[in-house]
Amino acid sequence: AWALQLALWFEVLYEQCVKPKQEQIVLVDGGFYKYFARLCQNTSIDLPLLKSLLHYHNKCDEVILLKIDPAICRTRCKNFTLTEIAPYDDAPKDYQASFISYQSRIYQTFEELSKVFQWDTISCFNKSIEDLALDVAVRIEEAVLRSWISK
């Protein structure tokens, strides 16, 4: 039921906030995909039902996946929330190891989605925040130009 409620929430958000602005550029984070990837880790979820929601979800014109190693993310964060360290497993004994393991599984789901939906990817390895921001800005600009040319 939780997965269906989330899917409904994102559809309402799309219909009320994104769709009315179709002639404009709308940037959103991948909230739907983030929750989808997290729910895929929950063994009590009906996975075929969850995956079927992907067919009904309104797709974005462009999705950019940032490729980053969870171990690098771990070094940047000292405190972890339950949703970042495997909320579906038993209480972790080593929070840092649990973070890396869980986030690696999440990222694997993102990579699978990326292949299916042909997302653009940007590697974050060996890049400063400034360089990464510039890469993202360039990719967004390219996507906007492709969109305008196709109209």
Side-chain angles (χ1 to χ4, degrees):
W2 180 241
L4 294 174
Q5 289 174 340
L6 281 171
L8 179 60
W9 163 254
F10 284 107
E11 288 309 306
V12 169
L13 185 67
Y14 173 82
E15 290 292 327
Q16 298 299 311
C17 299
V18 176
K19 196 173 181 180
K21 299 178 187 295
Q22 284 185 334
E23 298 303 316
Q24 300 174 23
I25 298 168
V26 179
L27 296 176
V28 295
D29 78 346
F32 174 83
Y33 299 113
K34 175 178 69 175
Y35 285 109
F36 176 85
R38 286 180 178 177
L39 288 170
C40 282
Q41 310 312 309
N42 185 339
T43 56
S44 67
I45 293 281
D46 179 353
L47 202 52
L49 173 63
L50 182 63
K51 287 184 176 184
S52 74
L53 296 176
L54 286 173
H55 298 289
Y56 298 105
H57 176 62
N58 285 298
K59 307 296 185 295
C60 301
D61 293 332
E62 292 284 331
V63 176
I64 300 171
L65 176 63
L66 301 179
K67 297 181 105 176
I68 189 163
D69 183 347
I72 293 171
C73 296
R74 186 210 44 88
T75 63
R76 296 179 182 168
C77 183
K78 303 300 178 212
N79 299 313
F80 307 102
T81 65
L82 184 58
T83 60
E84 295 172 320
I85 58 169
Y88 309 114
D89 297 336
D90 293 329
K93 293 173 181 45
D94 180 345
Y95 285 87
Q96 293 182 356
S98 181
F99 175 87
I100 292 169
S101 172
Y102 180 63
Q103 294 300 325
S104 294
R105 294 191 316 262
I106 296 273
Y107 190 77
Q108 183 178 15
T109 302
F110 283 146
E111 284 187 318
E112 291 167 8
L113 290 171
S114 174
K115 289 174 185 165
V116 170
F117 295 114
Q118 300 175 337
W119 293 348
D120 194 2
T121 59
I122 297 176
S123 175
C124 299
F125 299 106
N126 299 319
K127 288 188 182 174
S128 67
I129 297 294
E130 293 79 15
D131 288 342
L132 178 59
L134 182 60
D135 281 356
V136 170
V138 167
R139 298 288 178 93
I140 290 170
E141 186 177 76
E142 290 169 351
V144 169
L145 289 172
R146 279 193 305 274
S147 173
W148 285 345
I149 289 170
S150 69
K151 288 185 179 182

